[in-house]
Amino acid sequence: MEHELLNEVSIIGPAIIDILAAPINEKVFTVGSLPMETIKMTFGGDALNEAFILTKLEKKVQLITKVGNDDAGKRILGFLKDNNISTDSICVETNLLTAINIVLVDEEGNRHFLTNPNSSLRKLRLEDIDCYIDKLAKIVSFAGMFISPLLTIEKMEEMFKRIKEKDRILIVDMTKAKNGETLQDIEELLPHIDYIFPNEEEIALLTGEKDPYINVKLLIERGVKTAVIKCGRSGCIVGDKNGIYTIPAVPVSKCVDSTGAGDSFVAGFIWGISNGWDNKECAKFACAVASCVVEKVGATEGIDSIEIIKERYYRMDDI
């Protein structure tokens, strides 16, 4: 019980292995062999990335996820233990394939994924989460709306209601809607959400509207307390009760790989929330974290120390 009470953030979502190759171009489909500058195995998934980064930023984190009882699953568990992330809230399922993604990174740092729909990435259920809901931290991040088809809109609403019963802060990160869902379809979920983090493309798929400023307004009007749209190289747009404002990205020497940039942004924002910061300062810190990640190959490889992130955060006052 003491260990559970120490958690500052609970994170729900996928933990996987990524096999990254970079930089790729169209030649990969026309030649028998193509040399890469980098081919490496890393650990990823929205929830694992958030958990790893927040742990690096000296926060106590609970990770709720699901892996198979296979070599990939054992490697993930070993990685978590090596990085002081508890495996107490992880479901290990026999005969389940742990998710391994192939990530092809082009010369601009953009990613192209090959995924297995029958792996653990798509198999997280409410039943895997339910037994931990009463023991969650004050801040809860659901890292990946629409990732698992077993977490239907109805199941998500049930989960969100239970999370909010104890006056927790609910944060929701988003991926692309997989089955043509619209903003109207998830309207009942939105009043439960304190912070939501879609990127420009993800929210446009839900609303049919390309203007991110309009999309921020649509989310706030439907009950979300704070809506943050991630805009990549353009930073982010934040909407809350005080209005809508933009925060620029931190300039980087070169974007090598954008894998995990969105997850690291959310982790940085959560770090600010946990310290009682206002949304503007949280967004600036989030941009600073993301800027470190995109400079190296891998979703978390760029997080060396909190001091480097803070230096970039303070530098934003001059942008």
Side-chain angles (χ1 to χ4, degrees):
M1 179 64 71
E2 181 182 356
H3 170 78
E4 293 160 354
L5 292 174
L6 289 174
N7 291 320
E8 297 170 87
V9 183
S10 295
I11 303 173
I12 302 166
I16 67 171
I17 288 177
D18 286 329
I19 308 296
L20 295 109
I24 63 104
N25 55 47
E26 65 277 1
K27 290 181 181 178
V28 72
F29 301 107
T30 60
V31 297
S33 177
L34 188 66
M36 295 284 103
E37 291 180 12
T38 301
I39 298 177
K40 65 187 298 184
M41 184 187 80
T42 65
F43 296 90
D46 306 64
L48 185 149
N49 291 340
E50 287 185 19
F52 177 85
I53 291 168
L54 282 165
T55 301
K56 280 283 190 180
L57 299 180
E58 302 172 359
K59 295 295 179 181
K60 190 71 174 178
V61 175
Q62 175 190 31
L63 174 61
I64 301 171
T65 190
K66 183 176 191 175
V67 298
N69 188 25
D70 54 8
D71 181 64
K74 291 171 184 176
R75 286 176 181 267
I76 289 171
L77 295 176
F79 172 82
L80 295 172
K81 290 175 182 177
D82 290 345
N83 287 281
N84 300 313
I85 301 172
S86 173
T87 59
D88 293 346
S89 304
I90 296 176
C91 173
V92 180
E93 185 173 304
T94 303
N95 299 324
L96 175 66
L97 288 173
T98 301
I100 301 176
N101 284 357
I102 307 298
V103 186
L104 306 178
V105 184
D106 67 25
E107 293 162 329
E108 300 298 320
N110 300 311
R111 304 155 297 155
H112 310 271
F113 291 92
L114 305 176
T115 66
N116 179 357
N118 298 312
S119 70
S120 59
L121 181 65
R122 311 292 185 205
K123 299 298 183 182
L124 191 64
R125 306 169 301 166
L126 181 58
E127 292 80 1
D128 302 317
I129 303 164
D130 192 63
C131 57
Y132 303 110
I133 286 183
D134 291 336
K135 302 174 183 178
L136 296 174
K138 173 69 175 178
I139 299 172
V140 181
S141 175
F142 178 47
M145 178 185 281
F146 302 127
I147 284 182
S148 176
L150 302 179
L151 286 170
T152 63
I153 293 171
E154 292 75 17
K155 294 291 186 181
M156 284 191 281
E157 184 176 12
E158 182 180 344
M159 178 173 66
F160 291 178
K161 284 181 177 178
R162 288 202 56 201
I163 289 170
K164 292 297 292 180
E165 280 176 357
K166 294 192 176 180
D167 195 33
R168 299 182 179 98
I169 296 171
L170 176 59
I171 295 160
V172 175
D173 197 6
M174 191 181 289
T175 59
K176 291 180 182 177
K178 305 294 190 298
N179 298 302
E181 294 93 342
T182 67
L183 191 64
Q184 186 175 356
D185 293 328
I186 67 166
E187 200 160 14
E188 296 301 315
L189 301 178
L190 301 179
H192 303 293
I193 298 173
D194 295 292
Y195 297 83
I196 194 166
F197 291 89
N199 65 30
E200 290 177 280
E201 187 177 359
E202 290 160 357
I203 190 61
L205 284 174
L206 283 179
T207 65
E209 171 59 58
K210 292 184 179 181
D211 187 331
Y213 292 92
I214 293 176
N215 284 330
V216 165
K217 289 183 63 177
L218 290 173
L219 288 167
I220 297 299
E221 288 169 358
R222 284 158 177 77
V224 173
K225 311 302 183 298
T226 298
V228 183
I229 296 184
K230 297 173 284 186
C231 302
R233 291 178 174 86
S234 299
C236 66
I237 300 168
V238 181
D240 57 26
K241 63 182 180 181
N242 297 315
I244 299 173
Y245 45 95
T246 60
I247 302 294
V250 175
V252 298
S253 55
K254 183 181 180 182
C255 178
V256 176
D257 176 17
S258 60
T259 304
D263 303 332
S264 65
F265 177 94
V266 175
F269 208 106
I270 292 171
W271 188 90
I273 293 170
S274 70
N275 289 324
W277 290 9
D278 64 31
N279 286 337
K280 182 178 181 180
E281 299 308 312
C282 288
K284 288 168 58 179
F285 191 81
C287 287
V289 175
S291 73
C292 294
V293 167
V294 301
E295 290 182 332
K296 292 186 179 180
V297 174
T300 57
E301 301 296 317
I303 304 301
D304 295 321
S305 71
I306 193 170
E307 287 74 23
I308 293 173
I309 296 168
K310 285 183 175 179
E311 187 275 328
R312 295 188 182 199
Y313 162 76
Y314 290 123
R315 196 196 312 160
M316 291 190 72
D317 290 334
D318 299 324
I319 297 176

